[in-house]
Structure formats: structure tokens, C-alpha cells
């Protein structure tokens, strides 16, 4: 079992950047695929990015490709989401998640979830 805690959210202007962190408990972090999802008010949770156990490959939603970068540091039991060129439509609660098996854009494949961190992009 793994517990996940996100941090790094906040209020940012369009075009700005934020870096989200996801700290995991336990000694088996490196055995999990990690993913980031987001949920805006009134919308379903949507896939943002995922990263395999060793850091490659990575996959992104089309809406964030070229602007967001997912990474991980297994020695620190942490995953990250660097978000650049932020847009108002990126406003959402961002969740990190851990999956036991495969990199996937399907939230049902993820077994553990953090509590979320709010990202608000507004001028």
C-alpha cells in the first residue's frame, strides 16, 4: 500500500508556471506507475500524464503536451508535474495516483490516490 500527498498548487496568472509534487510513503514507490489527473468543477476527472516505473516512457494528454512534464525521483519517493504556459482551462484540482501494473490514461487502472491540490489560473 502507498499513501500519496500532493503539494505545490496555487494561484498563477496565464502563461505562468507551477511545479506539483507528489510524496509517497512506503518502500515500494519504484514499483508503481505514477499518473497525474485533474478535475475541474462540474467536469469528470481527466488524465493529464503518466510515467513508467523507471521514468520512461511518459505519456500526456493532448491538451497539455508540450507544456507539462511529468518526472519522478525514486530515491526520494516522489513524482512531479512541471506545468508551463498555464492557461485558464488548466484550472482544476490535480491528483497524483499510483498504479500497480501499466501506464494508462484510464483512472480506473490506478489503485491509490492523493487528496488533490488546487491549481487556479486567472488574471
Amino acid at each position: 500500500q502507498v499513501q500519496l500527498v500532493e503539494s505545490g498548487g496555487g494561484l498563477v496568472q496565464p502563461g505562468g508556471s507551477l511545479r506539483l509534487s507528489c510524496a509517497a510513503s512506503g518502500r515500494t514507490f519504484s514499483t508503481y506507475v505514477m499518473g497525474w489527473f485533474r478535475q475541474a468543477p462540474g467536469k469528470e476527472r481527466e488524465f493529464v500524464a503518466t510515467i513508467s516505473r523507471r521514468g520512461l516512457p511518459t505519456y500526456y494528454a493532448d491538451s497539455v503536451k508540450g507544456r507539462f512534464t511529468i518526472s519522478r525521483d525514486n530515491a526520494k519517493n516522489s513524482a512531479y508535474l512541471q506545468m508551463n504556459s498555464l492557461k485558464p482551462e488548466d484550472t482544476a484540482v490535480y491528483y497524483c495516483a499510483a498504479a500497480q501494473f501499466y501506464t494508462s490514461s484510464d483512472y480506473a487502472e490506478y489503485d491509490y490516490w492523493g487528496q488533490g491540490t488546487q491549481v487556479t489560473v486567472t488574471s
Side-chain angles (χ1 to χ4, degrees):
Q1 190 170 359
V2 61
Q3 293 182 328
L4 305 172
V5 178
E6 302 96 335
S7 61
L11 181 67
V12 64
Q13 292 186 340
S17 298
L18 282 175
R19 188 191 194 210
L20 305 184
S21 297
C22 175
S25 65
R27 300 180 179 179
T28 59
F29 175 75
S30 63
T31 66
Y32 290 94
V33 168
M34 297 301 296
W36 286 94
F37 290 77
R38 66 187 182 186
Q39 188 166 19
K43 295 187 177 181
E44 294 187 353
R45 190 168 299 191
E46 66 171 349
F47 167 75
V48 175
T50 185
I51 186 168
S52 64
R53 295 170 181 81
R54 296 188 177 184
L56 288 174
T58 58
Y59 301 99
Y60 298 89
D62 287 344
S63 59
V64 307
K65 201 172 294 184
R67 299 188 297 122
F68 291 11
T69 303
I70 189 171
S71 62
R72 67 188 297 162
D73 186 336
N74 288 341
K76 295 183 178 179
N77 280 7
S78 294
Y80 307 97
L81 186 68
Q82 177 67 43
M83 305 186 295
N84 299 329
S85 302
L86 282 161
K87 305 175 181 180
E89 51 263 43
D90 295 318
T91 296
V93 177
Y94 283 71
Y95 299 89
C96 72
Q100 295 187 61
F101 299 112
Y102 309 110
T103 53
S104 175
S105 61
D106 182 356
Y107 70 85
E109 296 291 336
Y110 290 79
D111 305 285
Y112 304 102
W113 292 83
Q115 82 291 348
T117 185
Q118 177 70 47
V119 171
T120 302
V121 185
T122 181
S123 54

